[in-house]
């Protein structure tokens, strides 16, 4: 039946699933959906939920990157995403959970606010996905982009709080690397869960200075040198000054 992954370019867990499939050496097709319209589009592919990543794995339909990591580990055990040592596995699972529940929402809040407020950004994303007439698609997508921003917590205070949290979150990623939980020669599920969020922050002009020069920046570039999400500066300067200054 084959393997098909549905995702969106700015979705960290979509890239998590893609990296895990590549690590396992599993042949698959990746279908990038237009952000904003992806909840409807993924339902038309037969999934019950409206989130990405959405994976068809030889007939099984999976959503949620942590569910996918465990399904892939069972489907093809080697190379491993989780250690057979229970103590090591516990640390990896905790880091994976933190990456999904805590870290990834920060770039999501920032990115969705920019998408809701910038026609140029929406056009670039539509072009990246391969949508015909990307500027038209970007204009049509405004209501959906604004709704997704609200769902993520897209008020001004929420975005400013997300920006302020970035340095501390990156400190934690650097600590996980220093402790050997992630960043080793053999990547694990936590590596693949966390790295796309760091790479997206590195790819956004507004947040890149917070990431550059850190251990996690080199690590992120090693796993995701070419990221489809690279954005210009869209955030108000005064929102960044308390962090950069």
């Amino acid at each position: 039946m084959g393997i098909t992954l549905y995702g969106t370019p700015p979705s960290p867990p979509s890239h998590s699933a893609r990296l895990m499939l590549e690590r396992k050496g599993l042949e698959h097709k990746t279908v990038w959906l237009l952000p904003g319209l992806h909840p409807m589009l993924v339902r038309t592919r037969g999934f019950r939920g409206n989130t990405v990543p959405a994976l068809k794995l030889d007939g099984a339909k999976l959503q949620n990157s942590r569910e996918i990591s465990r399904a892939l580990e069972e489907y093809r055990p080697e190379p491993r995403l989780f250690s057979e040592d229970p103590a090591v596995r516990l640390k990896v699972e905790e880091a994976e959970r933190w990456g999904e529940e805590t870290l990834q929402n920060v770039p999501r809040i920032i990115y969705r606010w920019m998408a809701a407020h910038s026609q140029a950004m929406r056009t670039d994303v539509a072009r990246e996905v391969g949508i015909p007439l990307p500027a038209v698609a970007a204009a049509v997508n405004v209501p959906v982009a604004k709704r997704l921003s609200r769902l993520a917590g897209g008020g001004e205070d929420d975005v400013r709080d997300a920006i302020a949290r970035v340095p501390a979150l990156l400190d934690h990623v650097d600590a996980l690397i220093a402790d050997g939980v992630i960043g080793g020669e053999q990547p694990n599920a936590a590596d693949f869960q966390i790295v796309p969020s760091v790479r997206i922050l590195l790819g956004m002009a507004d947040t890149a200075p917070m990431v550059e020069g850190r251990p996690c920046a080199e690590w992120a570039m090693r796993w995701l040198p070419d990221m489809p999400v690279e954005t210009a500066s869209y955030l108000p300067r005064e929102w960044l000054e308390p962090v950069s200054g």
Side-chain angles (χ1 to χ4, degrees), residues 60-74:
K61 295 184 178 69
L62 306 165
Q63 291 174 279
N64 180 283
S65 54
R66 289 165 65 197
E67 179 183 3
I68 288 171
S69 68
R70 286 148 182 78
L72 292 179
E73 191 80 336
E74 181 177 348

Side-chain angles (χ1 to χ4, degrees), residues 51-145:
T51 61
V52 292
L55 181 70
K56 290 183 178 179
L57 182 66
D58 283 355
K61 295 184 178 69
L62 306 165
Q63 291 174 279
N64 180 283
S65 54
R66 289 165 65 197
E67 179 183 3
I68 288 171
S69 68
R70 286 148 182 78
L72 292 179
E73 191 80 336
E74 181 177 348
Y75 186 82
R76 178 170 289 181
E78 299 292 342
R80 301 196 66 84
L81 297 173
F82 298 95
S83 174
E84 294 181 281
D85 182 323
V88 175
R89 175 163 184 150
L90 185 62
K91 290 181 179 179
V92 170
E93 288 181 333
E94 173 59 23
E96 183 192 28
R97 182 200 61 76
W98 176 84
E100 180 192 46
E101 296 181 359
T102 302
L103 175 62
Q104 76 174 6
N105 202 41
V106 167
R108 178 186 291 126
I109 289 171
I110 297 170
Y111 185 93
R112 287 188 179 181
W113 185 91
M114 293 192 299
H117 292 80
S118 172
Q119 168 73 7
M121 182 176 175
R122 291 191 302 274
T123 301
D124 288 343
V125 174
R127 185 179 295 110
E128 179 69 38
V129 175
I131 300 295
L133 302 174
V136 175
V140 171
N141 207 19
V142 171
V144 179

